[in-house]
Amino acid sequence: VGLAAPVKPMAAVATASAGAAELVAAGDDMDEFRAKIAATLAKCDATTQACSEAQGASTSLDEKWKEFQAKFDAINKRMVTSLAGALGGSASMNGRPVERIS
């Protein structure tokens, strides 16, 4: 049975030190990696917030547009009724309903 080659103590220490240094470097790399992930997640959260705010503004604008349309339609109806009264007629032109021309 062959015997293992004797281990030189200084070589073993050097090998262990190199391994420890690699682990420390790997730990530093992991810390940097974790920091990059945290920064990316923060950017994603900020983007999600900005999208939510933009969507809220769009919804608000749609509601205001519908309100404006309703008010504009009401003003137009009053104007047509008033104009017809001033001309001595009615909005339906002598009781006959207005026909739509297509």
Side-chain angles (χ1 to χ4, degrees):
V1 176
L3 296 175
V7 177
K8 296 180 183 175
M10 292 307 285
V13 170
T15 303
S17 294
E22 287 177 13
L23 288 175
V24 169
D28 290 344
D29 289 345
M30 289 302 295
D31 290 342
E32 183 179 334
F33 182 70
R34 285 186 186 108
K36 286 180 181 180
I37 288 175
T40 301
L41 289 174
K43 287 179 184 178
C44 288
D45 289 343
T47 301
T48 300
Q49 179 66 27
C51 288
S52 295
E53 290 172 6
Q55 185 178 16
S58 175
T59 301
S60 175
L61 185 61
D62 289 342
E63 291 171 1
K64 289 179 181 180
W65 175 247
K66 287 179 183 177
E67 289 175 15
F68 172 79
Q69 286 176 318
K71 289 177 183 178
F72 192 79
D73 287 344
I75 290 171
N76 278 340
K77 287 177 184 176
R78 284 195 306 259
M79 182 185 69
V80 168
T81 302
S82 176
L83 186 58
L87 295 174
S90 69
S92 64
M93 298 175 70
N94 299 326
R96 188 174 131 219
V98 177
E99 295 179 19
R100 181 175 181 177
I101 300 173
S102 50

